[in-house]
Amino acid sequence: MTSVRELSFQTLEAVLKDGAYSNLKMNEVLQEHSLNAADRGLYTALVYGTLKRKLTLDFYLKPYVKTKIKGWVRRLLWMSLYQYIYMDKIPTHAIINEAVNIAKKRGGKQTGNTVNAILRQVTTQPLRDIERIKNKEERLSIRYSLPTWIVRHWLTHFGEETTEAIAAQMLLPAVQTVRVNRTKITVDDAIAQLKQEGYRVEQDHDITHCLIVEGHGVMQSQLFQQGKISIQDKSSMFVAEMMDLQPGHRVLDCCSAPGGKVCHMAEILAGAGDIIATDIHDHKIGLIQHNIDKLGLSGIHARQHDATAPYEGQFDRILVDAPCSGLGVLRHKPEIRYTMTPETVDKLVQIQLQILENVAQNVKIGGELIYSTCTIEQMENENVIYTFLKAHPEFEFTTMRDPRTDAQVKTLQLLPQDYNADGFFITKIRRKDQ
């Protein structure tokens, strides 16, 4: 039988070496293997913890690696160091033994001896002091395991205090939140049934059908399997909430997969509107349709379409939940911090503007275009919408209520520390009456 640490290491290899998405790979592994609650918790902590702290772990490891080692050995050492430094309930001898066993199994006795020697050294000597790094950007990069270009961008836009708050929040485990499908069940009944299944449940203050759920994985709950709740981050729920959807509205969600926001819209309209959900990838349309069917929603149609190619017809509301760098969701997808580059951000900005340019003509007079991203990069957020408005005087901002302050705002940048949730950007613009 494969041990939990071996499963964790295999997952890390799939993500860091083969480019798998951590959240999808972990779901796949957890569905394949019948782990008890404690082992599921250990598996999740090891994978997410090692990914989130990769640069910090390598900083601590570096002085002890005197010869060239294979990439997989380095990654095994990171996982072992993560347990030693951040999981104090695990005995050091158990960490070393498990690592040596994995190393021997995969690379033979000599590799096992190398791993043993390095870990015995690391665990018997003081760790290097990050605070002795003189350069601020480099120090924050190592402390929070973020590439220096991200640190530089955040320091420029948010300042040091907010940057550190964002970075620290990104290292914490993500909170489990669900959206109640009010076309199938009341919020009160959903809370009662989840509690009956052994979950601890708290109702959110800002979005009443958002529930914070603690306990074992909510995907195993009857309510989830019956389509009465969906897993969705609170910040993401604000998008449909702020669209001011009305009965009879014709709505387009042009970058829809996997369909969380469009299903939320359909739940709000409860069949009293007409929603088109499109995505560029044909295979993702099946995923959107699966969610529509599972939740039992009506008035919503999913089809393949490239959001930079012309659409037919006019809409009261168009949502552009644009492809983005994803730097607001590092708690759910920590590996993004290492794969994203400034050059990719520049390319994404061009795609975001292309999509806005394309769908602008499909907004009815008096209708609204909602632009959202799951990033906190100013280049992809405020810069994009102001660039678009400069070229399109027929559009103007329509204000929204900032849930944090009650103030009316033109743009809403939610940061992870605001709600212990993802970083998200939302803005609304209206096509002026002629």
Side-chain angles (χ1 to χ4, degrees):
M1 188 180 160
T2 313
S3 73
V4 178
R5 284 179 182 83
E6 206 166 341
L7 281 179
S8 304
F9 176 63
Q10 287 169 5
T11 303
L12 287 168
E13 284 295 273
V15 175
L16 292 171
K17 180 171 165 279
D18 304 328
Y21 294 116
S22 57
N23 57 332
L24 300 180
K25 186 66 186 173
M26 289 170 74
N27 280 342
E28 183 189 305
V29 170
L30 290 171
Q31 281 168 10
E32 275 177 29
H33 299 269
S34 301
L35 302 179
N36 62 37
D39 283 347
R40 288 173 74 93
L42 176 60
Y43 169 78
T44 305
L46 283 180
V47 176
Y48 270 150
T50 305
L51 287 173
K52 286 177 181 178
R53 295 192 185 263
K54 185 183 95 164
L55 300 183
T56 315
L57 295 168
D58 202 54
F59 172 81
Y60 289 136
L61 176 65
K62 213 170 184 179
Y64 303 98
V65 180
K66 311 286 193 219
T67 57
K68 195 172 181 184
I69 57 172
K70 290 184 176 175
W72 70 264
V73 176
R74 185 176 293 276
R75 292 185 285 272
L76 175 61
L77 290 166
W78 290 341
M79 187 181 84
S80 306
L81 271 185
Y82 177 76
Q83 295 167 79
Y84 172 66
I85 299 167
Y86 300 104
M87 301 180 79
D88 52 10
K89 288 181 182 173
I90 301 177
T92 303
H93 65 85
I95 296 167
I96 296 173
N97 288 347
E98 283 270 9
V100 169
N101 288 339
I102 293 170
K104 279 182 183 172
K105 196 171 172 182
R106 185 161 174 156
K109 190 179 177 186
Q110 184 57 47
T111 309
N113 291 343
T114 302
V115 166
N116 183 48
I118 291 172
L119 287 178
R120 289 199 182 279
Q121 272 192 295
V122 179
T123 55
T124 53
Q125 294 181 33
L127 295 170
R128 294 166 85 190
D129 185 2
I130 293 171
E131 299 314 307
R132 295 184 71 175
I133 301 171
K134 289 186 170 65
N135 180 282
K136 185 201 291 181
E137 287 175 8
E138 194 187 333
R139 185 171 65 251
L140 294 177
S141 166
I142 297 299
R143 186 190 295 161
Y144 297 110
S145 195
L146 288 164
T148 49
W149 75 267
I150 294 178
V151 172
R152 194 176 305 119
H153 279 212
W154 290 0
L155 284 171
T156 301
H157 185 44
F158 298 112
E160 190 171 349
E161 189 180 337
T162 302
T163 294
E164 290 218 49
I166 295 167
Q169 195 73 28
M170 293 297 194
L171 293 172
L172 300 176
V175 172
Q176 189 169 236
T177 51
V178 300
R179 186 187 76 244
V180 177
N181 178 1
R182 291 162 296 161
T183 68
K184 278 194 168 188
I185 191 171
T186 66
V187 173
D188 288 343
D189 283 349
I191 293 169
Q193 287 185 39
L194 283 167
K195 284 181 175 176
Q196 227 170 4
E197 286 191 57
Y199 294 94
R200 294 183 297 282
V201 186
E202 187 187 330
Q203 188 174 11
D204 185 69
H205 298 301
D206 301 292
I207 303 171
T208 54
H209 48 281
C210 171
L211 306 179
I212 301 105
V213 182
E214 291 180 39
H216 50 287
V218 80
M219 285 173 82
Q220 298 165 291
S221 71
Q222 285 181 23
L223 284 191
F224 179 79
Q225 287 161 13
Q226 292 164 357
K228 292 177 180 175
I229 57 172
S230 299
I231 296 168
Q232 188 180 10
D233 188 83
K234 173 179 174 173
S235 293
S236 172
M237 290 186 212
F238 276 118
V239 176
E241 289 296 302
M242 293 193 171
M243 287 178 70
D244 189 26
L245 296 165
Q246 301 298 329
H249 266 174
R250 191 155 190 261
V251 183
L252 171 64
D253 178 2
C254 61
C255 308
S256 190
K261 295 177 194 69
V262 82
C263 288
H264 189 185
M265 291 180 221
E267 288 168 12
I268 291 169
L269 286 171
D274 179 29
I275 307 173
I276 308 289
T278 71
D279 197 87
I280 190 171
H281 302 291
D282 200 34
H283 68 277
K284 289 188 177 178
I285 301 305
L287 186 57
I288 299 169
Q289 193 60 53
H290 169 77
N291 285 324
I292 294 167
D293 295 342
K294 183 183 173 188
L295 299 172
L297 300 170
S298 59
I300 175 172
H301 314 279
R303 60 182 72 142
Q304 190 275 333
H305 189 96
D306 179 349
T308 62
Y311 285 90
E312 286 181 16
Q314 298 282 293
F315 297 88
D316 299 283
R317 298 286 184 271
I318 295 181
L319 171 62
V320 176
D321 185 47
C324 71
S325 60
L327 294 178
V329 296
L330 296 183
R331 294 197 299 180
H332 293 102
K333 300 173 186 176
E335 67 279 7
I336 290 174
R337 66 184 78 199
Y338 313 118
T339 55
M340 189 51 57
T341 65
E343 292 74 28
T344 307
V345 170
D346 290 342
K347 286 176 188 168
L348 285 164
V349 167
Q350 295 313 309
I351 294 167
Q352 290 154 359
L353 284 166
Q354 262 184 292
I355 295 171
L356 288 172
E357 282 286 339
N358 180 50
V359 302
Q361 61 198 328
N362 300 99
V363 182
K364 283 182 183 177
I365 289 170
E368 292 177 2
L369 194 162
I370 295 85
Y371 177 72
S372 66
T373 71
C374 59
T375 189
I376 55 177
E377 272 292 291
Q378 186 186 21
M379 293 288 291
E380 301 175 77
N381 296 338
E382 291 93 344
N383 284 24
V384 164
I385 204 65
Y386 277 103
T387 301
F388 173 82
L389 284 175
K390 196 173 178 184
H392 287 271
E394 73 274 23
F395 281 89
E396 63 186 357
F397 280 116
T398 176
T399 58
M400 309 164 287
R401 185 185 72 85
D402 186 332
R404 299 163 300 187
T405 62
D406 265 347
Q408 289 295 313
V409 293
K410 292 176 179 177
T411 61
L412 181 64
Q413 178 66 80
L414 297 171
L415 298 175
Q417 61 269 35
D418 292 335
Y419 291 113
N420 194 13
D422 289 338
F424 235 89
F425 177 81
I426 308 167
T427 189
K428 294 201 299 182
I429 54 176
R430 175 182 170 275
R431 188 166 193 167
K432 295 175 188 175
D433 302 330
Q434 285 180 342

